[in-house]
Amino acid sequence: MSQAKSDPRQDMLPCRLAGMEALAGAEQLALFTVEPASGEPIPPFQAGQYTTVAFEQGSDVAMRYYSIASGPEQAQSWQFFIRKPDKPGATGELFDMEPGSPLWVGQAGGAFTLERSSLPHRVFVANGTGLAPFLSMSRHLRAQAEQGSVASGKLTLLHGVCRPQDLACRSELEAIADNSKLDFLYLPCISRPQEEDVDSSFSHGRVEEVLMHLLNLPGCGDSRPVKLAANHSLDTLRQRMPAGETALFLCGATDMVKAVVAQVESSPWGDGLVYEKYW
């Protein structure tokens, strides 16, 4: 006789969907806020970690792993940055849920954290929703700076998207960059720029190609030329990421991560690569 299948929710925290914030102009992208049903603070976690979210899907229980986008200091809820898939799936179901819908959240895990590298400078490289752990890290570093604990070294965030409207939390990241206590630079990279995308803070090109240009390494295969943001000089940007002193944190599409690793691992920046291998 086969044993009854155990319910994965028995070891998870009962929660509810507190809200969804769709990105303007990007119907497939949203920030979801989830809070404990009890109203108590969430369990502690480290910036950059992920967790499991479960919900009922008919007679089954669907489970997905999401990087946490909120900082550890946001003690009352988690935030997740999610793209709705083109085909039906569990992730897409979240977009159809009403506030208050029941969810279950597991214990945070993963080693993709700031502590993975002791090098003085950090470059965060993301495309799409791979931004989520870097949102958490950036929010955490801002909170620490406001409390008087300022991160040493330079922090540079490269976020690659197809269109400017896909840039999640742009105003918040720009505000963090304006924080005089942090040496933080935010560099949005637009891979499919249109004529109207003339913002001087945008770099044009796939994020991996922009990174290779900054490191003065061979490109990853995209023949389109990289155009750096007009408000930053190439020399100034390169000074932020010296070889042997810079950790390169990667998160996003598998193809992007693989391409960067292939070009960087044997370079002077190779010892500073930090990424999660999930393929």
Side-chain angles (χ1 to χ4, degrees):
M1 180 181 296
S2 61
Q3 294 183 340
K5 186 177 180 181
S6 62
D7 189 334
R9 296 172 295 178
Q10 63 187 2
D11 297 321
M12 303 175 78
L13 184 67
C15 297
R16 57 175 169 253
L17 178 63
M20 181 192 80
E21 178 187 350
L23 297 185
E27 297 178 357
Q28 303 296 95
L29 293 168
L31 288 161
F32 290 84
T33 300
V34 177
E35 61 187 15
S38 65
E40 297 179 356
I42 65 174
F45 67 93
Q46 291 180 274
Q49 289 189 307
Y50 67 87
T51 191
T52 311
V53 176
F55 54 89
E56 295 175 347
Q57 192 174 47
S59 59
D60 296 325
V61 176
M63 298 181 64
R64 286 293 183 271
Y65 295 94
Y66 296 125
S67 291
I68 302 170
S70 45
E73 293 76 15
Q74 185 176 325
Q76 299 304 314
S77 62
W78 300 269
Q79 195 172 52
F80 305 104
F81 180 32
I82 302 173
R83 173 181 289 278
K84 186 176 183 179
D86 295 329
K87 58 184 179 180
T91 302
E93 294 287 340
L94 292 179
F95 283 79
D96 299 324
M97 288 186 180
E98 296 293 332
S101 296
L103 299 167
W104 290 261
V105 177
Q107 184 66 38
F112 191 73
T113 63
L114 292 166
E115 290 71 26
R116 278 279 293 276
S117 176
S118 60
L119 293 174
H121 308 297
R122 302 184 183 100
V123 177
F124 301 152
V125 184
N127 61 2
T129 56
L131 177 69
F134 300 133
L135 274 175
S136 181
M137 292 177 182
S138 300
R139 289 166 165 173
H140 173 57
L141 292 168
R142 175 189 59 190
Q144 284 194 319
E146 291 172 349
Q147 295 169 4
S149 178
V150 182
S152 61
K154 301 180 186 301
L155 303 160
T156 307
L157 169 59
L158 279 66
H159 184 207
V161 296
C162 293
R163 307 165 301 167
Q165 54 264 45
D166 295 331
L167 291 168
C169 302
R170 177 187 173 189
S171 59
E172 179 183 355
L173 290 167
E174 289 175 337
I176 295 175
D178 290 338
N179 187 323
S180 60
K181 296 180 181 179
L182 277 178
D183 189 349
F184 181 93
L185 177 68
Y186 170 55
L187 192 66
C189 304
I190 311 301
S191 64
R192 300 176 186 173
Q194 305 299 315
E195 290 184 5
E196 61 270 21
D197 299 334
V198 294
D199 192 308
S200 62
S201 66
F202 294 160
S203 290
H204 291 175
R206 298 175 70 89
V207 68
E208 60 267 38
E209 299 294 354
V210 174
L211 177 65
M212 294 305 104
H213 185 58
L214 295 178
L215 301 182
N216 199 23
L217 293 176
C220 296
D222 191 331
S223 60
R224 291 174 295 178
V226 167
K227 180 182 178 182
L228 290 179
N231 58 351
H232 299 295
S233 73
L234 177 59
D235 287 342
T236 299
L237 291 171
R238 284 179 172 171
Q239 289 171 11
R240 299 186 61 83
M241 45 195 78
E245 301 177 39
T246 304
L248 302 177
F249 286 74
L250 314 175
C251 188
T254 303
D255 289 346
M256 182 276 286
V257 176
K258 283 184 174 181
V260 172
V261 171
Q263 295 299 92
V264 173
E265 61 183 349
S266 60
S267 78
W269 288 268
D271 290 341
L273 281 170
V274 179
Y275 62 99
E276 296 282 82
K277 189 171 183 179
Y278 47 86
W279 58 84

